Amino acid sequence: MYSEKVMDHFNNPRNVGEIENPSGVGTVGNAKCGDIMRMYLDIDENGVIQEARFKTFGCGAAVATSSMATELVKGKTVQQALEVTNKAVMEALDGLPPVKVHCSLLAEEAIHAALWDYAEKNHITIDGLEKPVNDIEEKLEEEEY
Amino acid sequence: MIYLDNAATTAVEEEVFAAMKPYFCEQYSNPSAIYSFAGKSMKAVDEAREKTARLIGAQPNEIYFTAGGSESDNWAIKAAAEAYKNKGKHIITSTIEHHAVLHTCQYLEKQGYEVTYVDVDENGVIKLDALEAAVRPDTILITVMAANNEIGTIQPLKEIGALARKNNILFHTDAVQAYGHIPLNVDELNIDMLSASGHKFHGPKGIGFLYIRKGVRIGSYIHGGAQERSRRAGTLNTPGIVGMGAAADLAAAKLAENMTKVSELRDYLIQRVLDEVPYSRLNGHPVKRLPGNANFCFRFIEGESLLILLDQQGICASSGSACTSGSLDPSHVLLAIGLPHEIAHGSLRLTLSETTTKEEIDFTVEELKKIVERLRSMSPLYEDFVKGGMNHVQ
């Protein structure tokens, strides 16, 4: 059901772990629905993401999208990181089964949540960054009605 | 490969397969035909019917062959609702039934029937006082499973049957997980209808039966030819029926022996997991459970990830996590026994058979320990727990 790339990122997740004193950290999802992602970013004085790490509670797709998201934002500027959308994460993983698309949304939200934290800590605004939805699963559930 | 998903399906036993073989290419006749070539097939069907009936103390003419458990459940519930609608339109079931029962009940609710879903306790046993309280003058059917497919809890069928009989209500039980694994007697338990499926006890897939007590007047569900005493149309699945009969015969011969053997190994597995995997719990009744069923929750991790990693070690298992159910909610059974969502997501079901070995269980426990540890090391819930911040953890 999963692509080879998803399985590779699930089996050998890149950048698992924490960053001490991160420039930004964000947690999205909720345990009720079975997925939680936490992303840590280390951003230098030029606004370039030097390091990205994650911890995830969730299915194979949730782990793989977290892993891929950290890979995609590393070395990018804050502005470039905003372009790492759920679609970009999915494409980089050679696709996800339809029922797992929400995992890629969660990865995008995790990046945004970490960037939002960074912006707040540094009292800056990042163009195009909106306050992330904390609870993406609930948003999805509501959309079903 | 280590196969620990015997509640999903079982291997067809060699003896069963051997019994079925002649009915494909050689003795392929339609049993309902008039010539002697057909008579031989009908004789085999009749013998299988006897074997199938004997295991539950039923008469052969009370056994109606179907395509499996789901058909039997649908038939029993929908046809009973139809047949007794003049008496009333109220049905009682439990919150932890298989979807073949639950979705059928929900369908009937849309047709104007009322259904009461009786709660279970923390072990998954139906609350008998609540069941009794749910009985109304217009109650026409009680349908409660014999044993739960996820957590293995065996229901108090005798008490339920007595209650149904006392109130003159039909009693149907979905015995798909129980038939061939634990003793069942339709007279002692006052069962009016019972569903079972061949592939759950080493018979073939695509064959099952509905036991209908003599005198219970429910109509047909599959209309057509006059097979099964005009109650279930369709050419008889001779190889399937013969296979299920052979499997029933083997199960009957070894029922007590297998129960002891399998439940001993199950208890060994349960003990090792609870002792050696931190923050684990057993789901279902500790004693009143199917011999082959073990169901655990491991906190801070999610079931699908666990299954994928077990699969990579050659271990076949199952889970009640949302990801395996195809929805955002974890198993309705785990929620019904009172588990919070986040714990229910980390469930693992291991179901043993007579051929499961201690070596296989030991290997599984060792791999499980490593996998749980690995998943916890990347879990933000575990991180919060270790750091003492319990914001996501109950």
Short mmCIF file of all heavy atoms in Angstrom, two decimals, chain A residues 2 7 10-11 13 16 18 31-34 36 38 40 55-60 100 137 141, chain B residues 300-302 304-305 308-309 312 323 328 341-342 345 374 377-381 383-384 387 392:
data_model
loop_
_atom_site.label_atom_id
_atom_site.label_comp_id
_atom_site.label_asym_id
_atom_site.label_seq_id
_atom_site.Cartn_x
_atom_site.Cartn_y
_atom_site.Cartn_z
N TYR A 2 2.08 1.19 0.54
CA TYR A 2 2.97 2.35 0.56
C TYR A 2 4.03 2.25 -0.54
O TYR A 2 4.46 1.16 -0.90
CB TYR A 2 3.69 2.45 1.90
CG TYR A 2 2.82 2.88 3.07
CD1 TYR A 2 2.86 2.20 4.28
CD2 TYR A 2 1.99 3.99 2.96
CE1 TYR A 2 2.08 2.61 5.36
CE2 TYR A 2 1.21 4.40 4.04
CZ TYR A 2 1.26 3.70 5.23
OH TYR A 2 0.50 4.10 6.29
N MET A 7 8.23 3.66 2.58
CA MET A 7 8.77 2.58 3.42
C MET A 7 10.19 2.88 3.85
O MET A 7 10.60 2.62 4.98
CB MET A 7 8.70 1.24 2.68
CG MET A 7 7.30 0.67 2.56
SD MET A 7 6.40 0.59 4.12
CE MET A 7 7.27 -0.75 4.92
N PHE A 10 10.05 5.42 6.51
CA PHE A 10 9.50 4.84 7.75
C PHE A 10 10.55 3.97 8.44
O PHE A 10 10.75 4.05 9.65
CB PHE A 10 8.24 4.02 7.45
CG PHE A 10 7.71 3.30 8.67
CD1 PHE A 10 7.12 4.01 9.71
CD2 PHE A 10 7.83 1.92 8.78
CE1 PHE A 10 6.66 3.35 10.84
CE2 PHE A 10 7.37 1.26 9.91
CZ PHE A 10 6.78 1.98 10.94
N ASN A 11 11.24 3.16 7.64
CA ASN A 11 12.24 2.25 8.21
C ASN A 11 13.50 2.96 8.67
O ASN A 11 14.11 2.57 9.67
CB ASN A 11 12.63 1.18 7.19
CG ASN A 11 11.55 0.15 7.06
OD1 ASN A 11 10.94 -0.25 8.05
ND2 ASN A 11 11.28 -0.29 5.83
N PRO A 13 13.99 6.56 9.32
CA PRO A 13 13.57 7.97 9.38
C PRO A 13 14.77 8.89 9.56
O PRO A 13 15.67 8.59 10.36
CB PRO A 13 12.63 8.02 10.59
CG PRO A 13 12.89 6.77 11.37
CD PRO A 13 13.44 5.76 10.43
N VAL A 16 15.37 12.00 13.27
CA VAL A 16 14.53 11.76 14.46
C VAL A 16 15.23 12.34 15.67
O VAL A 16 16.44 12.21 15.81
CB VAL A 16 14.34 10.24 14.70
CG1 VAL A 16 13.47 10.03 15.94
CG2 VAL A 16 13.70 9.59 13.51
N GLU A 18 15.37 15.38 19.09
CA GLU A 18 15.04 16.72 19.59
C GLU A 18 16.22 17.66 19.32
O GLU A 18 17.32 17.19 19.06
CB GLU A 18 14.80 16.68 21.11
CG GLU A 18 13.68 15.75 21.54
CD GLU A 18 13.81 15.35 23.01
OE1 GLU A 18 14.06 16.24 23.83
OE2 GLU A 18 13.66 14.15 23.31
N ALA A 31 -3.68 13.12 19.90
CA ALA A 31 -3.57 11.69 20.15
C ALA A 31 -4.91 10.99 19.95
O ALA A 31 -4.96 9.82 19.61
CB ALA A 31 -3.07 11.45 21.56
N LYS A 32 -5.99 11.75 20.12
CA LYS A 32 -7.31 11.17 19.96
C LYS A 32 -7.46 10.54 18.58
O LYS A 32 -8.01 9.47 18.42
CB LYS A 32 -8.35 12.27 20.16
CG LYS A 32 -9.77 11.76 20.24
CD LYS A 32 -10.70 12.87 20.72
CE LYS A 32 -12.13 12.36 20.66
NZ LYS A 32 -12.85 12.76 19.46
N CYS A 33 -6.94 11.26 17.58
CA CYS A 33 -7.10 10.76 16.22
C CYS A 33 -5.90 9.95 15.75
O CYS A 33 -5.85 9.50 14.62
CB CYS A 33 -7.36 11.91 15.27
SG CYS A 33 -8.92 12.71 15.66
N GLY A 34 -4.92 9.82 16.60
CA GLY A 34 -3.85 8.89 16.28
C GLY A 34 -2.62 9.45 15.60
O GLY A 34 -1.77 8.70 15.16
N ILE A 36 0.39 12.60 16.06
CA ILE A 36 0.97 13.83 16.63
C ILE A 36 2.36 14.00 16.04
O ILE A 36 3.14 13.05 16.00
CB ILE A 36 1.10 13.75 18.17
CG1 ILE A 36 -0.26 13.69 18.83
CG2 ILE A 36 1.89 14.94 18.71
CD1 ILE A 36 -0.20 13.64 20.33
N ARG A 38 5.80 16.55 16.15
CA ARG A 38 6.50 17.67 16.78
C ARG A 38 7.75 17.95 15.96
O ARG A 38 8.55 17.05 15.71
CB ARG A 38 6.86 17.32 18.21
CG ARG A 38 7.63 18.42 18.94
CD ARG A 38 7.76 18.10 20.41
NE ARG A 38 6.44 18.03 21.03
CZ ARG A 38 6.20 17.43 22.20
NH1 ARG A 38 7.17 16.84 22.85
NH2 ARG A 38 4.99 17.42 22.69
N TYR A 40 11.23 20.34 15.43
CA TYR A 40 12.20 21.27 16.02
C TYR A 40 13.03 21.87 14.89
O TYR A 40 13.48 21.14 13.99
CB TYR A 40 13.18 20.53 16.93
CG TYR A 40 12.58 19.86 18.14
CD1 TYR A 40 12.06 18.57 18.05
CD2 TYR A 40 12.59 20.49 19.38
CE1 TYR A 40 11.55 17.93 19.15
CE2 TYR A 40 12.08 19.86 20.50
CZ TYR A 40 11.56 18.58 20.38
OH TYR A 40 11.06 17.95 21.48
N LYS A 55 9.72 14.36 16.18
CA LYS A 55 9.22 13.17 16.87
C LYS A 55 7.76 13.01 16.45
O LYS A 55 7.03 14.00 16.37
CB LYS A 55 9.32 13.33 18.38
CG LYS A 55 10.74 13.15 18.88
CD LYS A 55 10.77 12.56 20.26
CE LYS A 55 12.21 12.18 20.62
NZ LYS A 55 12.31 11.77 22.03
N THR A 56 7.37 11.78 16.16
CA THR A 56 6.01 11.54 15.68
C THR A 56 5.40 10.31 16.34
O THR A 56 6.05 9.28 16.48
CB THR A 56 6.01 11.38 14.14
OG1 THR A 56 6.25 12.66 13.56
CG2 THR A 56 4.68 10.84 13.63
N PHE A 57 4.13 10.47 16.73
CA PHE A 57 3.29 9.36 17.18
C PHE A 57 2.29 9.17 16.05
O PHE A 57 1.55 10.09 15.73
CB PHE A 57 2.58 9.76 18.48
CG PHE A 57 1.38 8.92 18.83
CD1 PHE A 57 1.52 7.74 19.55
CD2 PHE A 57 0.09 9.33 18.47
CE1 PHE A 57 0.40 6.98 19.89
CE2 PHE A 57 -1.02 8.56 18.82
CZ PHE A 57 -0.86 7.39 19.53
N GLY A 58 2.33 8.02 15.40
CA GLY A 58 1.38 7.84 14.31
C GLY A 58 1.75 6.67 13.42
O GLY A 58 2.67 5.91 13.72
N CYS A 59 1.02 6.58 12.32
CA CYS A 59 1.16 5.44 11.42
C CYS A 59 2.42 5.57 10.56
O CYS A 59 3.16 6.54 10.66
CB CYS A 59 -0.07 5.34 10.54
SG CYS A 59 -0.30 6.79 9.50
N GLY A 60 2.62 4.60 9.70
CA GLY A 60 3.78 4.60 8.82
C GLY A 60 3.88 5.87 7.99
O GLY A 60 4.96 6.45 7.86
N LYS A 100 -4.31 8.48 3.60
CA LYS A 100 -3.16 8.97 4.36
C LYS A 100 -2.76 10.39 3.99
O LYS A 100 -1.75 10.90 4.47
CB LYS A 100 -1.95 8.05 4.13
CG LYS A 100 -2.19 6.61 4.52
CD LYS A 100 -2.32 6.45 6.01
CE LYS A 100 -2.42 4.98 6.37
NZ LYS A 100 -2.57 4.78 7.80
N GLU A 137 -6.70 17.33 12.66
CA GLU A 137 -7.64 16.21 12.51
C GLU A 137 -9.07 16.68 12.73
O GLU A 137 -9.99 16.27 12.06
CB GLU A 137 -7.31 15.09 13.51
CG GLU A 137 -5.91 14.54 13.38
CD GLU A 137 -5.77 13.59 12.20
OE1 GLU A 137 -6.72 13.44 11.42
OE2 GLU A 137 -4.68 13.01 12.05
N GLU A 141 -12.26 16.48 10.31
CA GLU A 141 -13.53 15.86 10.70
C GLU A 141 -14.69 16.79 10.42
O GLU A 141 -15.73 16.38 9.95
CB GLU A 141 -13.50 15.50 12.19
CG GLU A 141 -12.95 14.11 12.44
CD GLU A 141 -13.00 13.75 13.91
OE1 GLU A 141 -12.29 14.40 14.69
OE2 GLU A 141 -13.74 12.84 14.25
N PHE B 300 1.76 5.23 24.20
CA PHE B 300 2.65 6.18 23.49
C PHE B 300 2.99 5.75 22.06
O PHE B 300 3.76 6.42 21.39
CB PHE B 300 3.97 6.42 24.24
CG PHE B 300 3.82 6.52 25.73
CD1 PHE B 300 4.41 5.59 26.57
CD2 PHE B 300 3.06 7.54 26.29
CE1 PHE B 300 4.26 5.68 27.95
CE2 PHE B 300 2.91 7.64 27.66
CZ PHE B 300 3.51 6.70 28.51
N ILE B 301 2.46 4.62 21.59
CA ILE B 301 2.76 4.25 20.20
C ILE B 301 1.47 3.93 19.46
O ILE B 301 0.43 3.75 20.06
CB ILE B 301 3.75 3.06 20.11
CG1 ILE B 301 3.13 1.80 20.69
CG2 ILE B 301 5.07 3.40 20.76
CD1 ILE B 301 3.96 0.58 20.40
N GLU B 302 1.61 3.83 18.15
CA GLU B 302 0.44 3.67 17.29
C GLU B 302 0.51 2.31 16.60
O GLU B 302 1.57 1.85 16.20
CB GLU B 302 0.43 4.83 16.28
CG GLU B 302 -0.84 5.03 15.51
CD GLU B 302 -0.94 4.11 14.33
OE1 GLU B 302 0.12 3.69 13.80
OE2 GLU B 302 -2.07 3.77 13.95
N GLU B 304 -0.51 0.88 13.66
CA GLU B 304 -0.10 0.54 12.30
C GLU B 304 1.41 0.47 12.16
O GLU B 304 1.96 -0.43 11.51
CB GLU B 304 -0.66 1.53 11.27
CG GLU B 304 -0.45 1.04 9.86
CD GLU B 304 -0.39 2.14 8.82
OE1 GLU B 304 0.71 2.73 8.65
OE2 GLU B 304 -1.42 2.42 8.20
N SER B 305 2.10 1.42 12.79
CA SER B 305 3.56 1.39 12.77
C SER B 305 4.08 0.08 13.35
O SER B 305 5.02 -0.53 12.83
CB SER B 305 4.12 2.55 13.60
OG SER B 305 3.78 3.77 13.03
N ILE B 308 3.63 -2.79 10.84
CA ILE B 308 4.58 -2.78 9.73
C ILE B 308 5.94 -3.32 10.19
O ILE B 308 6.57 -4.12 9.51
CB ILE B 308 4.76 -1.35 9.15
CG1 ILE B 308 3.43 -0.82 8.60
CG2 ILE B 308 5.81 -1.33 8.04
CD1 ILE B 308 3.48 0.65 8.18
N LEU B 309 6.35 -2.90 11.38
CA LEU B 309 7.66 -3.35 11.88
C LEU B 309 7.62 -4.83 12.26
O LEU B 309 8.61 -5.55 12.05
CB LEU B 309 8.11 -2.48 13.05
CG LEU B 309 8.43 -1.03 12.68
CD1 LEU B 309 8.73 -0.20 13.91
CD2 LEU B 309 9.60 -0.95 11.69
N GLN B 312 7.97 -6.79 9.13
CA GLN B 312 9.35 -6.85 8.62
C GLN B 312 10.16 -7.93 9.33
O GLN B 312 11.19 -8.37 8.82
CB GLN B 312 10.02 -5.49 8.75
CG GLN B 312 9.49 -4.55 7.67
CD GLN B 312 9.89 -3.12 7.89
OE1 GLN B 312 10.65 -2.82 8.79
NE2 GLN B 312 9.37 -2.24 7.06
N CYS B 323 -5.75 3.77 11.82
CA CYS B 323 -5.12 3.60 10.52
C CYS B 323 -5.46 2.26 9.91
O CYS B 323 -5.47 2.11 8.70
CB CYS B 323 -3.61 3.75 10.64
SG CYS B 323 -3.14 5.47 10.78
N LEU B 328 -10.87 7.72 11.23
CA LEU B 328 -10.05 8.44 12.20
C LEU B 328 -10.22 7.86 13.60
O LEU B 328 -9.47 8.21 14.51
CB LEU B 328 -10.40 9.92 12.21
CG LEU B 328 -9.99 10.71 10.96
CD1 LEU B 328 -10.45 12.15 11.06
CD2 LEU B 328 -8.48 10.66 10.73
N HIS B 341 -9.04 7.25 23.47
CA HIS B 341 -8.60 7.12 22.07
C HIS B 341 -7.11 6.87 21.95
O HIS B 341 -6.66 6.00 21.22
CB HIS B 341 -8.94 8.39 21.29
CG HIS B 341 -10.34 8.44 20.80
ND1 HIS B 341 -11.42 8.56 21.65
CD2 HIS B 341 -10.86 8.40 19.55
CE1 HIS B 341 -12.53 8.58 20.94
NE2 HIS B 341 -12.22 8.49 19.66
N GLU B 342 -6.31 7.69 22.67
CA GLU B 342 -4.86 7.63 22.45
C GLU B 342 -4.28 6.28 22.87
O GLU B 342 -3.28 5.84 22.33
CB GLU B 342 -4.13 8.78 23.16
CG GLU B 342 -4.48 8.96 24.62
CD GLU B 342 -5.65 9.92 24.82
OE1 GLU B 342 -6.64 9.82 24.07
OE2 GLU B 342 -5.58 10.75 25.73
N HIS B 345 -5.39 3.54 20.19
CA HIS B 345 -4.61 3.56 18.94
C HIS B 345 -3.40 2.65 18.99
O HIS B 345 -2.88 2.24 17.97
CB HIS B 345 -4.13 4.98 18.63
CG HIS B 345 -5.19 5.85 18.06
ND1 HIS B 345 -5.79 5.58 16.86
CD2 HIS B 345 -5.76 7.00 18.51
CE1 HIS B 345 -6.69 6.52 16.59
NE2 HIS B 345 -6.70 7.38 17.59
N ARG B 374 11.68 1.14 20.08
CA ARG B 374 12.06 1.99 18.95
C ARG B 374 10.98 3.04 18.66
O ARG B 374 11.28 4.21 18.45
CB ARG B 374 12.28 1.09 17.72
CG ARG B 374 12.53 1.88 16.47
CD ARG B 374 12.83 0.97 15.30
NE ARG B 374 12.68 1.73 14.07
CZ ARG B 374 12.76 1.21 12.87
NH1 ARG B 374 13.00 -0.08 12.72
NH2 ARG B 374 12.61 1.96 11.80
N SER B 377 10.90 5.72 21.20
CA SER B 377 12.02 6.67 21.12
C SER B 377 11.71 7.79 20.14
O SER B 377 12.31 8.85 20.21
CB SER B 377 13.30 5.93 20.72
OG SER B 377 13.28 5.65 19.34
N MET B 378 10.78 7.59 19.23
CA MET B 378 10.43 8.69 18.32
C MET B 378 9.02 9.22 18.59
O MET B 378 8.46 9.94 17.77
CB MET B 378 10.60 8.28 16.85
CG MET B 378 9.78 7.13 16.37
SD MET B 378 9.76 7.11 14.56
CE MET B 378 10.84 5.78 14.19
N SER B 379 8.47 8.91 19.76
CA SER B 379 7.11 9.37 20.06
C SER B 379 7.12 10.63 20.93
O SER B 379 7.72 10.64 22.01
CB SER B 379 6.34 8.27 20.80
OG SER B 379 5.18 8.80 21.39
N PRO B 380 6.47 11.71 20.46
CA PRO B 380 6.39 12.92 21.28
C PRO B 380 5.59 12.69 22.57
O PRO B 380 5.81 13.37 23.56
CB PRO B 380 5.68 13.94 20.37
CG PRO B 380 4.98 13.13 19.34
CD PRO B 380 5.74 11.84 19.19
N LEU B 381 4.67 11.70 22.53
CA LEU B 381 3.90 11.40 23.75
C LEU B 381 4.80 10.82 24.82
O LEU B 381 4.68 11.12 26.00
CB LEU B 381 2.78 10.39 23.43
CG LEU B 381 1.67 10.86 22.52
CD1 LEU B 381 0.70 9.71 22.26
CD2 LEU B 381 0.95 12.04 23.13
N GLU B 383 8.04 11.27 24.96
CA GLU B 383 8.94 12.36 25.37
C GLU B 383 8.29 13.20 26.48
O GLU B 383 8.91 13.47 27.51
CB GLU B 383 9.23 13.24 24.14
CG GLU B 383 10.18 14.40 24.39
CD GLU B 383 10.28 15.32 23.17
OE1 GLU B 383 10.36 14.81 22.04
OE2 GLU B 383 10.25 16.55 23.36
N ASP B 384 7.01 13.55 26.27
CA ASP B 384 6.29 14.32 27.29
C ASP B 384 6.18 13.54 28.58
O ASP B 384 6.32 14.09 29.67
CB ASP B 384 4.88 14.66 26.79
CG ASP B 384 4.91 15.69 25.67
OD1 ASP B 384 5.97 16.30 25.47
OD2 ASP B 384 3.88 15.86 25.00
N LYS B 387 9.49 13.42 30.40
CA LYS B 387 9.82 14.73 30.97
C LYS B 387 8.82 15.15 32.04
O LYS B 387 8.96 16.22 32.62
CB LYS B 387 9.86 15.78 29.86
CG LYS B 387 11.09 15.64 28.96
CD LYS B 387 11.06 16.66 27.85
CE LYS B 387 12.30 16.53 26.99
NZ LYS B 387 12.16 17.29 25.73
N HIS B 392 -0.46 15.40 27.04
CA HIS B 392 -1.19 14.58 26.07
C HIS B 392 -1.52 13.21 26.63
O HIS B 392 -2.11 12.39 25.95
CB HIS B 392 -0.36 14.39 24.80
CG HIS B 392 -0.28 15.62 23.97
ND1 HIS B 392 -1.37 16.17 23.34
CD2 HIS B 392 0.76 16.42 23.69
CE1 HIS B 392 -1.00 17.25 22.69
NE2 HIS B 392 0.28 17.43 22.88
#
